[in-house]
Structure formats: structure tokens, C-alpha cells
Amino acid sequence: MKQFNSPIAASLLTGWLAFSGATLISTQALAETNLIDRVVAVVDDDIILQSQLQAKMQEQAMKLQAQNIQLPPTQELAQQVLDNLILEKVQLNRAKLTGISVTEEAINQQLQKIAQKNGLNLLQLQQQMDAQKPNGFKMLRSEIEKQLTIQKLRETEVISRTQVTESEINNYLTRQSLSQTKLNLKHILISIPESATPSQRQAALDEAQTLRKRIIAGEDFSQLAVRFSNGSKALQGGDLGWMQPSEIPTFFSEAANTLNVGETSQIIESPSGFHLIQLAGESDGSNQKVTEYHLHQFVVLSDNITSNEPPQSLITLTQSIKNLTDFKALNNRFADIPEEINRNSDLGWLNAGQLPPALAEIVTGLQPGQAIGPFANEQGWLIVFLEDTRLQTQNKQLQSQQAIQAVRMRKANEMFDVWLRRLKDEAYIRIQLDESTQS
């Protein structure tokens, strides 16, 4: 049986599903735990089970080891992972309350991406996942659905509600013309309640000061973030990823722009608490060209896509397409499809920002001459073909669109932790974590 490319699979499945069969290097207690299942937390009308917590702890330990981050004590890892599970439940409950859901097509596109990156089709992916873990494919599909739902909720309640003014766009474009530098930041947040008392505020500040002293003394920032940060990226070692200066939250953008690589900031205060940031990397992104993709699409009509599993013959046909001639031959192979369905199959040159996010993620990983799909849509099965790529200088319209998105994301980043805290404060949460659960 063909095995997964582990680094690629780990990257694609981060936050979704850890493959079974892997063992931990230094947390024997997790691997050997075999206790009767019990409730460790109640979140509104939902519960989190001990088995769920321990599975996520093992998954998180695997990820930290892959990043060469020392595992924290089991008790601290349990608390961090449980907090993440609670936040996930709170967000999913909010999505359900507001009627937010994701389509089967969006889920299938993510599954297709995972299969493609590992040289598999969907059926082979399902067989491989189920072979490694009972109902593994179903679990993966469920995790993808949850993460896409949370992403859609955040876009609806935070990003889309973030207003951007014309002056902010102009200021962004002015700064962009002067600098295209990108920064990779790590972040620790010691949060405070929304109506914190002076003693609570002082306790949080003392903790932040202690952590900074430990970092300056040589302790690893990522390890301390995993153990003590209340930020949303704590279990990723506090890694915020690569951002342009204009995308960095305003309350620590000034500090970020004065740091040298490897340096840690002074303590920064915001409404959500006390922050420490470390500059992990810096790059010159002065190239203002953007990749464009010459795409074609073909729809195979079908009124039987309820299973969301394309016919094996159609999967094989898609994989056999190696060039534009092969792709255009679909018109002859499916000559019974009305001409108007695929009359405008040449989509022309598009950049990733002009594509639906799920499709953009897939297309950016393709090589010219590759086809991907089939995906379920409202008409049947969609096959997408990448003819070629090119680098194009960004035009003013595209630069303006990117400015709006960048400014909106920066302001949303400033609001995100506060939004999460409010969701959590509004929820009914009862934690029943004890030492037996954490051992």
C-alpha cells in the first residue's frame, strides 16, 4: 500500500487530524493512558470527553515534536489543549446558532487538495485513511468541516464587519511603495478579564514580566508560548506567520518594526491583556509581481452527485489529462453535453485573489499541464485545468484590492482575541479536569 508523504500530510492536516499509528517520543503517559471515558468540560449544551482531550493532546505533542519544540509538562499541555477545544466548541455553537454552514463542495475541494498533494485520488485517500485508523476518512472530513465552519464564522463576524476607510487604503499604498518587507512574528498573550480588577491586572503583568525575563535569560520563546500564552496561536509556539508591516496589529506594530531578528519586545498592553512579541524572521518582498494562472474548466453534467464521490472513471479521466489537447478532447468525449454549458470554459488569466479561496489553495499547488477534480457543483462534476502561469506586475486595481484586504486583516487581527474572549464569556463553561485526566 502506498504510504503518505509525511511532511506534506502533516502540513495539510495541521489543526485537522493527526495520523494514527504514530507514537510519542517523550510523553509515555499519554500513550499508555487507558481510563474509563468521562466528561472533562461542559460547553453550553455540549461536552468534551476525556478521550477527545487525550487524542488532541497526542496530536498536539506530535506537532510540537515535528517543530522541534520541547513538550511542556503534561498538566500544562492538557490545560492548553482543553482551552483550544473549548474555544472550538464555542465557535461551532455560535456558527450553529447563526445558521453558518459550509457546502459539500468546499469540503470536497479540501479533500481533493490533500489527495492531490499525496499523489492519490479521493478513493485512494479514503482507503489509506481507513486503513490507518477506523473511520479515518470520516474523521478527516468532519475535522475539515469544523475548521471551514470556524473560518466562515470568523469571516462573517470579524473580518466582514471590519470597516476600511479610503484614507487607510491610501496610507497603506503609500507605505507599500516605500517598503515591501515582511516580518515573521511570534506572540505571547497573558490575557485579563474584560472587567479586570487591579489585582488581576497586576497578576497578569507580573506573569508577563517573569516570562520576558526567562526569554532574555535564554529560554525558548516558542516553548514558553505553548505553556503559558493565552493567544490563539499558543499551540503553534505563538507563530503568527509572515505579515507585511501594515498587517500587524496596531498596538504592537511600532515595537515589531524596531526589533532585530531574534529580539523580544518590551511588554505591550492592549484591551485583551499583556503581550510579548519576538521577531523570528524578516524578508525583502520588494518584487511587486504577482503570479497569474491561465485556467480552463469543464462541467460534466450529472443529477446524481448526492454521494459527493465522483465516478472512478471520471477520476481516472481527469488524471490522464496532461496537456491542453487532452483537456479539449473532453468536448468530443462528452459530445452529448449542450454546447452552452462549456462554451466559456477558458477562464483566462486569473491571480489567486480572484479565485474562490478553496480553489485558489489548490490551483497554486498545480504545475502547468495538470488537471484537478472532479469537484461537485450545482450542475454536476467540475474539472479544472491549468494551462500555464506567468508573473505580472500588479495593476492599480489589484493593488487597491490587496490594500483593502490587508488593512481589513490588520484591523481584524486586533479585534480577534477580544471577539474570542467575548464568545467564551457569553458561553456556559464548566471544567472538570483533574490529575487523572492529565496523566
Side-chain angles (χ1 to χ4, degrees), residues 1 12 65 78 131 140 181 203 261 276 285 305 313 319 377 382 418 422 432:
M1 180 179 292
L12 289 172
Q65 289 175 340
L140 172 60
T181 298
V261 175
L276 291 169
I305 59 172
S313 59
Q319 293 175 337
N377 71 4
L382 176 68
V418 174
R422 287 178 179 170
Q432 301 171 183

Side-chain angles (χ1 to χ4, degrees), residues 5-6 50 100 183 217 233 257 276 326 330 337 375 378 398:
N5 180 325
S6 297
Q50 176 179 297
I100 289 175
L183 305 178
K233 299 294 185 180
N257 290 324
L276 291 169
D326 292 345
L330 293 173
I337 295 177
F375 305 117
E378 65 276 4
L398 177 58

Side-chain angles (χ1 to χ4, degrees), residues 6 157 222 272 375 417:
S6 297
E157 297 215 339
S222 296
S272 57
F375 305 117
D417 282 329

